[in-house]
Amino acid sequence: MKAFTALTAAELRLLSRDPASLFFMVAFPLMLLVLKRGDGGAVPGYLAMIAAIGGMGALPGLLASYRERKVLKRLATTPISPILLLGAQLVSQVAAGLAGSALLVVVTVAVFGARAPGDVLMLTAAFLLCSVMACALGFVIAAVVRNTRGASLIGMLVMFPMIFLSGAAVPRKALPGSLRQIGDFLPLTPAVEALGGAWSGTAVPFPLLILAGIIVAATATGAALFRWE
Amino acid sequence: MEAIEVTDLRKSYGDTRAVDGVTFTVRAGETFGIIGHNGAGKTTTVECLIGLRRADAGTVRVLGEDPARRRRALAHRLGVQLQDSSLPERIKVAEALRMFGAFYRDASDWRRVMERWGLRPLARKAFGDLSGGQRQRLMLALALVGNPEMVVLDELTTGLDPIARRETWRLIGDLKAAGTTVVLVSHYFDEIEALCDRVAVLARGRVAATGTTGELVARTGTASLEEAYLALEGADR
């Protein structure tokens, strides 16, 4: 436990020193909110976006660089299990996303006077599932693509279309029919639905179940394909 | 007691026989050198010792344990410095030492290790901003922060300037004096001569000879470890 805490604390500190992560997980969603004149209806999508940026935009490149620069190998010579490092990465990405999300929600309600989320507990649970799912997908990318630049690039290529087609960045209603159909098959779509339901206070168990299923499938795939060096 | 017993170790990658029947023992408290050119099997041997790789055949015992099966238990008693491994770019020297210290059951006080290795002035510097020599010094300190019974150092002083090199030798001398078993992988003959009680010469995946520097020189009828090495290397060809 002491080792895990130390690892997670170090990872969080590193994340807080990364200007790109800070910008995309904290400042960027706030900017979008301002552009939307504080429209609370857009916020659940932005929460999904924060999770996607951390898990798919940042995590694959980070894991691949740890492998390429033999950070993983060095840690593998210590008593910690390498799994612990992946766990610390997950916890720190989720925690950072949660902090960015909490800030966004508070600003939406306190500054722009939007209606408070209908079910805060459910919203938190939906965000946690969404964030863990994004990290699990990022883990699969890092398992399939071996070098750092490739993993970062593929992460971005997967993330950007997904946040536009899943309803995270723009409402799906605004998309042409064929693009909306693609969105039906993207893992971030149920995430946006779950967050949207919790925001308005209606129970949406089905999207949450889908998220849980994706987490299990992606983690198993990642674990089977991931190479430590 | 023997700190390391390696018997007929074999490891291949595809068709390449990286290690092809290596046998040697290291006594507890001894400083043991492994010397050989690139591709001789040094790194593979070391990786089998510390449990990063599983041997294809042969037995390995380190501090009485099988590293392939008991890697984590052994890791508490072992300090390792790997060739060209690194840390996250933005982690600071003090943070790295504190974090590694938290990994070990019986760790030394990381502040004292930082002091001892002259890293205090660099405490708040990020790993990515350190010079090659400073990085090497930090990686060595990290190998020792767990207060190990044995250390395995691969390419100990590569990238260090002559003064830092001598300073590192002095610190290795301190470890010896404290009874720590040291395995030193190097291709610097002066380093092996200055620090090691005994040496194994690796050539093409086998041990060409083992002994003290004096024994190797006498056996080959040469004048220095370097000449003895070249003679053994050539004889094995």
Side-chain angles (χ1 to χ4, degrees):
Chain A
M1 202 57 211
K2 186 180 65 159
F4 186 68
T5 313
L7 261 177
T8 309
E11 284 302 329
L12 266 173
R13 230 176 271 126
L14 292 175
L15 205 57
S16 73
R17 279 179 203 144
D18 178 17
S21 285
L22 278 184
F23 176 76
F24 281 109
M25 293 175 87
V26 180
F28 185 60
L30 286 174
M31 280 166 52
L32 292 180
L33 183 71
V34 171
L35 292 176
K36 276 277 196 178
R37 297 171 205 273
D39 173 15
V43 172
Y46 296 165
L47 299 182
M49 188 166 27
I50 292 174
I53 288 168
M56 288 181 267
L59 190 63
L62 194 64
L63 278 182
S65 84
Y66 275 22
R67 178 174 50 206
E68 194 164 274
R69 299 179 55 245
K70 297 199 188 177
V71 177
L72 291 181
K73 192 168 180 183
R74 179 62 186 85
L75 288 171
T77 68
T78 71
I80 64 157
S81 150
I83 308 283
L84 221 53
L85 178 78
L86 296 184
Q89 295 271 359
L90 174 77
V91 170
S92 52
Q93 288 291 348
V94 172
L98 202 59
S101 298
L103 182 67
L104 183 69
V105 171
V106 167
V107 169
T108 308
V109 176
V111 178
F112 290 99
R115 206 146 54 89
D119 189 341
V120 175
L121 214 62
M122 187 55 77
L123 188 68
T124 310
F127 180 81
L128 290 179
L129 272 178
C130 173
S131 182
V132 173
M133 179 203 70
C135 289
L137 293 176
F139 178 46
V140 174
I141 295 170
V144 175
V145 190
R146 294 299 153 84
N147 66 51
T148 307
R149 291 174 64 132
S152 297
L153 182 69
I154 300 294
M156 294 292 178
L157 287 178
V158 171
M159 179 196 78
F160 272 112
M162 210 185 279
I163 61 178
F164 284 106
L165 297 178
S166 66
V170 286
R172 289 180 74 208
K173 287 196 291 280
L175 297 174
S178 52
L179 289 181
R180 208 179 313 160
Q181 277 176 347
I182 299 176
D184 286 340
F185 299 99
L186 295 176
L188 205 58
T189 308
V192 175
E193 283 168 15
L195 289 160
W199 185 266
S200 59
T202 44
V204 276
F206 190 58
L208 291 177
L209 277 176
I210 298 181
L211 292 185
I214 297 170
I215 291 170
V216 172
T219 307
T221 311
L225 298 175
F226 193 78
R227 294 289 169 269
W228 295 102
E229 55 177 311
Chain B
M1 188 196 125
E2 311 288 7
I4 300 180
E5 289 181 83
V6 175
T7 315
D8 201 25
L9 176 70
R10 289 166 199 273
K11 179 78 191 175
S12 300
Y13 306 113
D15 289 339
T16 316
R17 286 185 194 167
V19 174
D20 193 17
V22 161
T23 300
F24 64 90
T25 56
V26 177
R27 292 168 208 131
E30 190 172 43
T31 298
F32 188 81
I34 298 178
I35 201 163
H37 60 206
N38 296 336
K42 302 190 299 282
T43 296
T44 300
T45 303
V46 164
E47 287 180 350
C48 290
L49 289 181
I50 60 182
L52 283 183
R53 288 190 197 286
R54 192 175 284 268
D56 295 339
T59 57
V60 181
R61 282 282 172 282
V62 178
L63 303 174
E65 307 269 18
D66 176 353
R69 287 172 184 213
R70 302 256 303 153
R71 186 194 73 77
R72 289 181 62 189
L74 190 59
H76 277 289
R77 307 163 64 194
L78 210 60
V80 178
Q81 185 234 320
L82 289 175
Q83 211 180 326
D84 58 53
S85 67
S86 61
L87 296 177
E89 291 285 312
R90 288 193 174 89
I91 199 166
K92 293 180 179 169
V93 168
E95 289 168 0
L97 282 160
R98 188 175 52 197
M99 180 176 83
F100 273 70
F103 295 163
Y104 294 87
R105 205 181 294 132
D106 184 29
S108 306
D109 180 358
W110 62 270
R111 293 174 200 84
R112 209 179 286 167
V113 175
M114 184 165 77
E115 191 77 52
R116 187 143 182 252
W117 287 81
L119 290 164
R120 190 175 199 118
L122 304 172
R124 299 182 59 79
K125 236 179 162 190
F127 182 76
D129 296 333
L130 298 179
S131 72
Q134 291 169 337
R135 282 182 189 204
Q136 189 80 349
R137 198 140 38 100
L138 174 60
M139 294 316 257
L140 270 165
L142 292 177
L144 295 167
V145 75
N147 194 20
E149 290 165 51
M150 177 168 126
V151 288
V152 179
L153 308 170
D154 197 352
E155 305 293 346
L156 175 67
T157 60
T158 305
L160 295 187
D161 63 46
I163 295 168
R165 233 175 133 222
R166 292 291 165 155
E167 177 62 14
T168 304
W169 288 10
R170 195 180 60 74
L171 290 161
I172 299 299
D174 290 353
L175 282 182
K176 275 177 79 162
T180 311
T181 308
V182 182
V183 176
L184 202 64
V185 180
S186 181
H187 44 231
Y188 292 123
F189 298 101
D190 56 345
E191 191 160 292
I192 297 276
E193 261 186 290
L195 297 174
C196 294
D197 302 315
R198 288 190 312 130
V199 194
V201 175
L202 250 60
R204 278 166 297 281
R206 289 163 184 276
V207 178
T210 330
T212 63
T213 297
E215 286 167 3
L216 296 183
V217 168
R219 196 181 312 169
T220 51
T222 52
S224 68
L225 179 62
E226 184 166 2
E227 286 176 22
Y229 168 75
L230 291 171
L232 287 161
E233 223 291 311
D236 190 63
R237 200 172 284 269

